[in-house]
Amino acid sequence: MAAMLWLPVLVPTVLGALVAWRHSDAYARYVPLVAALAILGIGIALVAKGQVVTSSVLRADAAASYVLLCVGAVAVVALWGGLSNPPLGGRGDALICAFLAAMSLAVLSDNLGVMWVAVEATTIATAFLVGHAGTRGATEAAWKYVVLGSVGVAIAFLGIVLVYASSRTGGSPTLSWVALVSGTVPLSPHLARVGVALAVLGFATKAGLAPMHSWLPDAHSQAPAPVSGLMSGVLLSVAMYAILRIQAVAAAHIGVGLVHGLLLTFGLLSLAVAAFLTLTQKDYKRLLAYSSIEHMGVIALGVGSGTTLGLVAALLHMLGHGVVKAAMFVLAGRVLAITGSSRIAQVKGLLARRPDLGWPFVAGTAALLGFPPFVTFFTEVAVLIALAESGLWWAVGGAAALLLITFIGIARQVLSMTAGAPEPQPDAPDHPLVHDTPSLRATAPAAIAMTAGAVVSFLSLVFVPVLGAAAAALGVSR
Amino acid sequence: MNASLTSGFVTTAVGILLLTAVLQTWRRSAAGSVRLLVVQGLALAALVAALGASRGDVELLAVAGIIALVKAGVLPWALGRTATGRIVERDNAVRPAVGLLGATVLTMFAYAVSDPLRGGDQSAAARAIPAGVALVLIGFWILLTRHSAVGQLVGFVVLDNGIAMVAFLTSDGLPLTVELGATLDVLLVVVILRALTTRMRNTHGGTSVDDLTELRD
Amino acid sequence: MTAVGGLLTAFTLTALAVVLAIVVPARQRSLASGGASLGVGVAGILTGVAAITSSPTAVVVIPVALPAGIGIDPLLLSPTPLGGVFCVVVGGVGAVAALYGMGYAHGPAASRTGWSAFAVFLLGMLLVASAGDVVSFLLGWETMAIASTVLLLADHAARPAVRSAAVWYAVMTHLSFLSLATGFALLASRAHSTTFTTIAAAHVTGPTGIAAFLALLLGFATKAGLVPLHVWLPRAHPEAPSHVSAVMSAAMVKLGVYGIIVLTSTWLPEVSRWFSLLVLALGVLSGAYGILQASITSDLKRLLAYSTTENVGLAVTAVGVGMLLANADQGPVADVALVAALLLVVSHAAFKTVLFLGAGTILQATGERDLDRLGGLIRTHPVTTWTFGIAAMGAAALPVTSGFAAEWTLLQALVHGDGRANTTLALALPVTLGLMALTIGLGLLTFVKAFGTAFLARPRSEAAASPAPEFTARPSSAARGLAQVIGAAAVIGLGLAVGPVATTFSSVLGYSGTVTSELGGLRLVTIGVLDPYALALVGLGLALPVALLVLVIRRRVPRRQTDVAWGCGGVRTSPRMEYTATSYAEPLVRVFGEALRPTRSLEVSHLEEDHVLENRVAFAQEVTDIVEDRWYAPAASWLRVVGDQARRVQNGSIHRYLGFSFAALVLVLVVTLS
Amino acid sequence: MTATLLVLWQMVVATAFTPLLVGVMRQVRARLEGRVGPGVLQPYRDVRKLLAKEPLRAEGSSLLLIAAPLVLLTSSLMVVALVPLVTTATVPAVPNDLFVVVSILLIGTVALALLGLDAGTAFGGMGSSRHMMIAALVEPTVLMSVYALSVPVGSSTLSKIVVARGADVSRVVTPAGLLAVVALVVVVLAETGRLPVDNPSTHLELTMIHESMILESAGRDLAWLEVGSWLRLTALLGLVVNLALPWGLASDGAPIGLLVAVAALVAKVLVAGALVAAAEVFMAKVRLFKVPELLAGSFVLAFLAVTASYLAG
């Protein structure tokens, strides 16, 4: 069973190498999807198994297997949807496989150092994916993504170094999460405090939380649709998962006051940034990127509230938001293909012109805005209740107001795109890479993602034990 | 290696590291910056070697060798072509005086702030920790003030050197696998940034970061 | 058939309706899915009746992925008797509208999304009325919101105004959802549970209680469409398909009133004592302002939407009066006021449904919504004329209709509140009575105008002159007519059977003895009796001799000549000379000038060669909703400005972004290391 | 059972007496204006003439032309039956509650307004719009003034108020009582279309309100409309008079009591009618958009009456 742990990391790497070597033949495009299916399969197996599985550096407790499941699910949605977008070529597919491998390693690694290396590896893997289009905008986005991302993660490395240094007082310094959390290794409080704070700050940059969010809109709007779907859907959640690991260490030794304070501030700031910058947003891919910042803000508030309910809601929100956001980016990619411009003003009457694109787009927006039956509704209500539970009435009021402003922004923009009569629109640009015609095969991924986003919220038999175990594994005190 | 010799070595290495970082904020030309980077890489390797020698830890010496190889050898080679290449890029950066002033202020801030990091240990290595933090802040400062792609790259490398320095000073360096992984990651980031710089020259006709302002709301 | 059984049937029928809407081809879709929605409505009625008659022990638990017990209790649906009343209202209105929709829905309203959204909409409202805890209440609330927004967007391709109406509606509904969520979160944090029974038992007070009360009141007032927050109502209802706006006006808006009643009577009774004047003011203001706007608009569906604001205002006034009297511990009269509130809710549900369905038929027949272009439909649409007429009488609160019985009860409560005891009552009751009387008077004028200009005299436009026939060969048009007749029968039925209905409501609210029924009539214990049967009998008794007299005289003077109406001596009476809705309301615009702020523009263009002689005079007058102009328009433009300013933060310079990270790093270092 | 008979008796007496009241008012007015006047029984003759004349129907008008007059007549008969004119007894299940009486009055008003609209002429529309506006603005004053009178009595049933006021003389002269009665007088003038609100005898298109609605009716329709309006005048005038001087009403079936009550009613109403007619001679019609100020004034009077009755106790 332990060997199985290595599969999510090895399978994508091997497939990536294979694709990089023989990228010419036809079905090279399906390789990343196969890798994603593998990860999803193993994630489901681990979650179903329910026990902690460890092998040397890797360890899959309830939380890790749940997040791996999220990674797998979002990857499948994004890559399967991506098949209807213009192909990325051999190098792109290889990089995606590397990206998946890095994320799996980050999720499964027990050693904080290895986790950091994996997170940094995701940045490296996605650098060229963001710049794949080769246009001026793509290069600029890639540059900013790499510089800001690497600087942020470097700070996280400084934090981990200090945590490692603080563990030296007990004789045998270690970066193994289990050892750190078990309390057998005493940490010197000062070093641990700084280390934890810097680690949280660093990973918050990768999670796209304000004020270190500025790279996200550029990167996610310039990257090809499946890649931005993957990054927005799950890379941010993996970074947040790293913060949860750090928070567990802090909870065991120095108390979570500092971490929760940081997360609450970052959370509210992210909501504010997302709220005010979507009000009159002109580009719908950037609109989706800002919506990711908003949802990561909600997750941060959930974790920052300090209650088990908040943490459980945050974990569930990762899955709910990830799946829907990946589908939305895929749809945005196809809308870009048929209208040729990512400006909101250029897209008119999507519902009337292309109902097979319009309705999933509206359904996805409803999910992002927190309407039932999607899971984001339950988690947002749970986060508000959790915040009120821990007495943070100002956070509840602030979050509610900012969520309203975000709603105004997104609802207005999306309705201006989808509703209304379709003027005679010059159809796709003269040289569409992929002639996009309404086909069931192309709509299936988004439709299945949306239904999954809705069905998940009512699967109490499956998710209640899983989320309970995950929260227990992350050792939230209250 | 007795204590006084190692503390001598350590303080000199730290001095060189700080000096090269401060000079980076002053020197503008890309070629000059790369040369300073090489010196800084060697100083870091020396520091690690001194620490390794003082503790008789062979693994640390090996790590020092790797750092020397990467920081002084591979990095400049990667940066070389752009720096000494055809166009010497003048950095239309902010006036050097501001750069220097910022660096000094940050160093003082680092020293004021990082007393608790030492944790009461009075050894030379412990006393040098604030310098490491200073290096990190100065690296960040270089990123903030340099307007050319290579300048930003230099800033990033200085930042990483600072972190590596803090790592070795606060503990005997991270476990080997993590250390190697970190160095490899930094190297890969530099390679990627270098590739992006060449692509930037094709798309934006120049490597000034100020051209990169099209993606805005 | 217990409440649980009713709810489960409602769930299954909704699922069936959705499946039918998607699977069945377009021609039979309205019949199939409409029938299923009708089933959902009937299930709602049964659930409500079961909830009213027996207090349900069994509950329906909704499985949710969030583990229960760690802050959120399990989601359960157990309708209280009061919830049962609103289930009946929702079910009844839903059933009638579904029946009507089967014949009426056409084009996008009859699409797959149209019918599935309609069934989900009914289910959402049933969920709200039967929710037993916070999360299922909010779940129902938002299901209702998303379904109604989708329904509102049915004709988005046809008219651009639909989209802006949908945005306004969605934003205001989300404002109501978020304020409810905040209020409930604060309440749950103090009561340490999200189940309503525990919250009620916790008697939360203190600053959190007040904040929770105000947030919840804001949420419910927005959904109820009370004045400062009513702006979405006259925009959204006219744009929705008529059978949908009937459900929105008659049932959905009532859930806001349900919230206010439950909030003030069970969740936060202590806190709401301080705010009874606020609730009363909200109600009275909405009543007066709503009917004033309704009386001067010429768009029929906008008129009906504003009259919804008025009727909801009256219901909330009744709640406010009840609270005020309860504070002055005049128990029995306070009970009468709350019973009046429920009567107003139910009566408005009945007649507003028929009015909107009538407006739907008119719209389908002539394609016109503007009263100024209608007229003479009495000859071609007899059933709609009669049903619209009866419903208009109900809305104008004329005797023997449900509106009259409800308003009679409220006026009795107002008149019999003893103001001598404390000064607030001495001032509040007369002012409320005065404004309410003005509201009733203007309501009269509004519905005389609506009925008169739409149905009587000669058609004012070609569209009205040659309307589509009311009943076509297809059976579905019969369904339409049947729905209207059932609605009108309900208006008269509720008017006549006011006794039993009022006693059920008083038992639902937990009062005993204040309201008893005597052979159909209503006896308010210390106040008086209203017996609509006797009133009707006396009326018929007098009408018979008059009719006999007419028959006798008719035999002697049989002929009745048809001649041209008086036109000052000339034969110049063309339909264009008839009084239109705008001219009918002109005196009111003049009288209430400062409250309405009409915008008038007068351009006089003179001849070039001579500045005295006028070439052309153009006069335009427009009355808009001043609440919207004064508060909402500036707010919208402020948001746009803020949006543009905020976007300048992301100006693309990497140094600024690095600056953000640097500042964060320095701050964290300072915080952690000092 | 006797109560129903009393009410029937009251209705018969009032219906018979109404044309006489109108005749007397017109005669007083004629005499004061120096005219001979058609004699007191002219209204009876008018009605008989109208019943014999041939009814007309405007082109494009609907069945309402026939139905509306009957509805107005029936509602006026009901008001006359309910209002305490001759007797304070009421039909057991139908107490003459203030709101019931007002709503039945309003049915008549609505029927008249719809009739005006149905003809499809500008005059009918104009009259109907103005008539409804006045009815809407009068409504608060009616409810408020009777509310003021009902506060000391504790019930809004008109007979109880009249009986209570009759029993206790001091209650008649309280400030609240006086203010309420004055407000009611203004209301009656507005409701029945007398000067200064509307000139009953004018046919000048732009000024008439009541007349323009019945412009298109002829023959027996016009007869029902006229009788209906006159009955409303009697009922309202009788109500005000009985509230001001609440004595002489028969409370039980005693024959003498009944005769005395009829005599008292006839006397009081005729005197009041004469006073109104006399006052009309010296008043000019108020401009239409000054009428709301007049009604607002009466509303303030009624409001003061209520507060006076509350605070003065």
Side-chain angles (χ1 to χ4, degrees), chain A residues 140 143-144 147-148 151 155 193-194 197-198 201 205 211-215 217-218 258 262 276-277 279-282 286 290 308-309 312-313 316 351-352 359 366 369-372 377-379 381-382 384-385 388-389 393 396-397 400 403-405 407-408 411-412 415-416 418-421 456-460 463-464 467-468, chain C residues 62-68 70-72 75 113 134-135 138-143 145-146 149-150 153 156-158 163 166-167 170-172 174-175 177-179 181-182 184-186 188-189 192 194 638-644 646-654 656-658 660-661 664-666 668-669 671-674:
Chain A
E140 175 181 338
W143 177 269
K144 287 179 183 168
V147 168
L148 282 159
V151 162
I155 292 169
R193 238 168 88 90
V194 180
L198 289 180
L201 179 67
T205 315
M212 299 77 66
H213 66 286
S214 311
W215 57 270
D218 302 343
L258 176 68
L262 279 176
F276 290 111
L277 280 139
L279 266 178
T280 51
Q281 185 50 250
K282 295 285 185 282
R286 292 179 76 88
Y290 280 113
T308 328
L309 174 65
V312 163
L316 189 58
L351 275 176
W359 279 114
L369 294 174
F371 276 110
F377 162 74
F378 293 97
T379 43
V381 166
L384 285 177
I385 290 178
E389 197 97 344
W393 55 270
V396 174
L403 282 174
L404 178 65
I405 297 174
F407 181 91
I408 297 174
R412 209 162 59 85
L415 271 180
S416 73
T418 47
V456 156
S457 44
F458 296 103
L459 287 182
S460 63
F463 278 90
V464 167
L467 291 171
Chain C
I62 304 175
V64 168
L66 291 170
I70 48 171
I72 288 189
L75 273 67
T113 40
V134 162
V135 180
L138 291 174
L139 172 64
W141 198 264
E142 276 301 275
T143 318
I146 182 77
T149 315
V150 166
L153 278 168
H156 66 83
R163 181 163 63 80
V167 169
V171 167
M172 295 291 279
H174 207 66
L175 163 70
F177 163 67
L178 283 174
S179 46
T182 318
F184 277 136
L186 294 175
S189 69
H192 302 301
T194 57
W638 177 77
L639 273 181
R640 207 161 290 115
V641 162
V642 161
D644 293 338
R647 278 191 302 110
R648 294 214 341 255
V649 163
Q650 187 85 2
N651 71 348
S653 114
I654 189 166
R656 170 176 291 196
Y657 302 160
L658 282 167
F660 290 153
S661 302
L665 174 64
V666 167
V668 164
L669 281 179
V671 163
T672 48
L673 289 176
S674 60

Side-chain angles (χ1 to χ4, degrees), chain C residues 18 22 88 153 161 167 169 204 208 212 216 275 321-322 330 345 380 428 434 505 605 630 633 651 669:
Chain C
V18 170
I22 294 165
V88 170
L153 278 168
V167 169
Y169 174 73
V204 176
T208 329
L216 289 171
F275 296 99
V321 166
Q330 298 179 12
V345 159
T380 52
F505 290 161
S605 56
R630 283 288 161 70
N651 71 348
L669 281 179

Side-chain angles (χ1 to χ4, degrees), chain C residues 154 201 203 207 310 631:
Chain C
H203 295 296
E310 175 238 345
W631 289 340

